[in-house]
Every structure is written in structure tokens, then in C-alpha cells.
Amino acid sequence: MRLTLRAQAALLGYPSPELQAHIGEIRAALLSEKTLPRAAMRRLEPLLARLETQDLLEAQADYSELFDRSRALSLHLFEHVHGDSRERGQAMIDLGQQYIDRGYLLETHELPDFVPVFLEFVSCLAPAEAREMLGEPAHVFAALEQRLADRGSDYSAIFGALLALAAARPDSVALEELQKNAPSDDLARIDEEWEEKPVTFTEPHDMGGPTGIVAKIRAARKAKMEAQAKTKA
């Protein structure tokens, strides 16, 4: 499950030369771990094949058009749950505290509810706990899967795979509420709100992939432990 979650995190990242170069390894990791049902693997293959062969600039443009230009497809979990309400900030703090409580620290520019970050964190948990935590935003994953499928996007397969990993049925009431209140895509507003650097991957990944988020978390954790050791000394 660990490698499969990290593979999904990598695939949801901004397309980069590193990601494109490691698609074969990501595919091999998914097949070797055998965590996903065959149907979920079959659905993922078109995305893997496209990211492996598509012109990089086209892949990046497709990604931005989906995830950067549409609030309805935001990869920030609390965008869908809390929108612009005050509760969103508190939810972000609470999720970040869960990371800290388990000994993981994030760099300040990485938001805890960004789906690739969330998946990297969940990949560090024991399988039972990982499934439980994946199940909490299952209704968000289901909504994103449907919205992407409606747009004919092969990225929908990732959220189908996450639901299969969670082995949880999305809350029907919560899902209906999400679908009913899907945010409109005001492009001018999105441009203003999303003035930030795209996610890039510059550090090696444990499974040979390109994300590097876990490496940063572990580096922060190591620094924290070293500081605690010095204090005790």
C-alpha cells in the first residue's frame, strides 16, 4: 500500500521531466505491490501511457487547465469541504497537527491538505490506519473522480484508485452536498488566489519516483529529533 499511495501522489503532481522519466518505475511499483484491484490498474494505464509519451509542455498545460484553473477540481481537500469559510483555517491547523503528532513536519509553502502531501503522509502509516484516514475524505475523492470523468480526464482513475484503497463507501449525504455546491470557475478570481509556484519535484523519491515530499518530512523530523537530543544532553 505504501508504494501505491506514493505512486498516486507522484501522478497527481505537476508533470515534470523527472515524473515522465520514472513512469515505468511507477507502473512497476503498482504492479509489484498488487494493492489495487485489476480494474483500478486498467483504468490507470491510459494516464500512465499518456504521461510517459505526451509532449511535456502539453501535459503541463492539460494539468494546469484542470487543477489550476478550476476550483471544482482543486487538489486542496478543504477547498471542497470548507470553501472560503473560517473553518478552513482551523481544519488546516488540525490536519497539520496530526502530521506533527506523528513526528512529521512540513515546509511552510506546502499546505497540509494538498492531496499529494496528504497521500505521502498516509503512506507512512500502518495499513489499517492508512485506510481509515483515506476514508475520511472519501466523499471528496468521489466528487473529484466524477467531475474529472465528466471532463473526459484520465486523472479520474487516480481518485477511483484511492477509493479502492480506502475500501470505504463515500458518505452519500456529504457527496450530494459537494455535487450540489460545486464552486463555479471564475477565472479572474482563480488567477488572483492561485498566485503561487507550481509544485515541482527536485529530490529523489524512495521508490525511484520524483516527489521528494517524504524526504523533506523526514529531514525535518531528523532535525527535530537531533534538537531534542541536544536538549537532553
Side-chain angles (χ1 to χ4, degrees), residues 10-226:
L11 292 172
L12 277 177
Y14 186 73
S16 66
E18 292 80 13
L19 175 61
Q20 199 165 56
H22 290 289
I23 289 295
E25 294 175 46
I26 290 174
R27 182 187 288 108
L30 290 169
L31 291 171
S32 66
E33 197 168 54
K34 298 180 180 178
T35 306
L36 289 176
R38 290 182 180 179
M41 274 300 305
R42 285 196 298 270
R43 283 192 64 198
L44 278 172
E45 182 52 37
L47 174 64
L48 293 169
R50 179 176 65 79
L51 291 176
E52 192 171 33
T53 60
Q54 187 179 19
D55 176 80
L56 183 59
L57 291 179
E58 290 183 5
Q60 291 172 340
D62 290 345
Y63 181 96
S64 294
E65 187 65 28
L66 286 171
F67 301 119
D68 296 340
R69 307 286 289 180
S70 173
R71 293 185 68 197
L73 298 177
S74 172
L75 291 180
H76 289 86
L77 293 170
F78 297 142
E79 170 77 19
H80 305 282
V81 180
H82 300 296
D84 296 326
S85 70
R86 185 176 301 175
E87 287 79 8
R88 184 177 182 181
Q90 187 59 53
M92 200 83 70
I93 293 171
D94 293 343
L95 181 57
Q97 189 61 49
Q98 290 189 58
Y99 295 176
I100 293 171
D101 290 345
R102 289 170 173 80
Y104 302 103
L105 298 175
L106 293 174
E107 292 187 351
T108 55
H109 69 275
E110 294 171 341
L111 295 177
D113 71 332
F114 184 53
V115 176
V117 172
F118 176 74
L119 296 180
E120 293 267 17
F121 168 70
V122 174
S123 76
C124 299
L125 306 178
E129 188 177 9
R131 287 191 176 89
E132 181 180 356
M133 198 153 191
L134 276 179
E136 292 179 8
H139 58 297
V140 177
F141 294 155
L144 286 168
E145 179 187 20
Q146 186 59 57
R147 291 171 188 172
L148 286 162
D150 289 345
R151 288 165 171 79
S153 172
D154 47 19
Y155 277 105
S156 65
I158 293 179
F159 294 98
L162 293 177
L163 290 170
L165 287 173
R169 185 181 296 276
D171 184 286
S172 58
V173 175
L175 178 57
E176 182 180 357
E177 190 70 19
L178 280 182
Q179 298 292 41
K180 186 189 305 181
N181 298 311
S184 61
D185 295 337
D186 183 340
L187 297 183
R189 183 180 178 189
I190 292 170
D191 285 341
E192 181 180 344
E193 291 179 351
W194 289 75
E195 286 182 357
E196 59 184 14
K197 295 180 180 179
V199 178
T200 57
F201 304 99
T202 57
E203 298 182 38
H205 192 288
D206 281 358
M207 61 165 279
T211 66
I213 293 173
V214 166
K216 294 175 183 177
I217 294 175
R218 288 177 176 167
R221 185 185 185 190
K222 181 180 179 182
K224 177 183 176 183
M225 293 175 65
E226 289 175 349

